């Protein structure tokens, strides 16, 4: 099963949900499906309250991360479609979900935050864009390997290379002259010596 489908099917267990609704006043009287519906249709303030609550639960119980990620699935899908159509969809989702987990663990959202979904998805979006940029650079280099290697290569003449070896103390100057005369000037060894 792929990650996107796994997130779409993620729901808390009845025991988890009952525990969360007892601890969190924002969830009192709501089912998980009610929360998902309100996250799609509610006011911005209500969405922020619910997402902040899910973030708080996830920090206390890391196994609740799947529920938070599933709640953000519409935003994840939108960003993958918009910013990474060239990436393999599963790779894009993996990048986004990993960065989302990092964002939640970093405590980047406080209880009074506004536009919580945007705050939570900012790091994942940045990572996704970086992955797309890396993929484009790789593809460009793969299409034009000669140009990339020519741009990074420095051509040294035999005389320059031998002079550098002498300066570095690798060979003596008279040996460098002998090498140059025999290998590059095509003089016989006896004559060069």
């Amino acid at each position: 099963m792929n990650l996107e489908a796994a997130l779409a099917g993620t729901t808390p267990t009845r025991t988890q949900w009952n525990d969360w609704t007892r601890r969190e006043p924002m969830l009192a009287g709501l089912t998980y499906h009610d929360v998902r519906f309100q996250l799609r249709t509610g006011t911005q303030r209500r969405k922020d309250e619910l997402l902040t609550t899910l973030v708080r639960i996830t920090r206390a119980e890391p196994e609740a991360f799947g529920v938070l990620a599933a709640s953000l699935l519409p935003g994840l899908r939108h960003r993958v479609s918009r910013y990474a159509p060239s990436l393999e969809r599963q790779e894009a989702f993996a990048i986004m979900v990993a960065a989302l987990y990092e964002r939640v663990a970093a405590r980047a959202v406080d209880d009074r935050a506004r536009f919580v979904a945007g705050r939570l998805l900012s790091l994942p979006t940045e990572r996704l864009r970086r992955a797309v940029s890396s993929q484009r650079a790789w593809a460009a280099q793969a299409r034009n390997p000669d140009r990339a290697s020519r741009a990074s290569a420095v051509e040294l003449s035999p005389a320059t290379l031998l002079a550098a070896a002498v300066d570095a103390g690798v060979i003596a100057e008279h040996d460098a002259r002998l090498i140059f005369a025999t290998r590059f000037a095509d003089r016989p060894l006896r004559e060069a010596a």
Side-chain angles (χ1 to χ4, degrees), residues 4-138:
E4 182 180 5
L7 285 177
T10 299
T11 60
T13 65
R14 181 174 292 169
T15 304
Q16 284 176 317
W17 189 256
N18 289 339
D19 182 44
W20 298 347
T21 57
R22 278 192 301 275
R23 282 188 298 152
E24 294 290 345
M26 286 294 157
L27 300 179
L30 297 175
T31 66
Y32 176 62
H33 296 291
D34 293 337
V35 169
R36 294 288 300 269
F37 180 76
Q38 287 184 19
L39 286 171
R40 284 191 311 274
T41 62
T43 65
Q44 186 61 51
R45 182 171 182 248
R46 183 63 176 156
K47 292 175 186 179
D48 291 342
E49 291 170 346
L50 291 172
L51 283 173
T52 301
T53 300
L54 292 175
V55 167
R56 198 169 35 251
I57 290 168
T58 301
R59 287 185 184 140
E61 299 176 35
E63 63 273 5
F65 175 76
V67 173
L68 175 63
S71 299
L72 292 167
L73 190 57
L76 292 168
R77 284 178 174 149
H78 172 74
R79 283 165 172 78
V80 166
S81 296
R82 181 173 180 187
Y83 299 116
S86 62
L87 282 183
E88 180 185 317
R89 194 163 177 89
Q90 289 310 303
E91 178 183 0
F93 266 94
I95 290 166
M96 295 277 295
V97 171
L100 176 61
Y101 187 83
E102 188 178 327
R103 185 76 169 172
V104 171
R107 301 187 178 271
V109 177
D110 64 29
D111 288 348
R112 295 175 309 280
R114 295 211 11 97
F115 305 105
V116 175
R119 290 174 189 261
L120 288 171
L121 294 176
S122 64
L123 179 64
T125 304
E126 177 187 323
R127 295 274 171 83
L128 189 65
R129 286 179 168 175
R130 194 176 311 148
V132 168
S133 178
S134 294
Q135 181 203 33
R136 286 182 183 149
W138 179 261

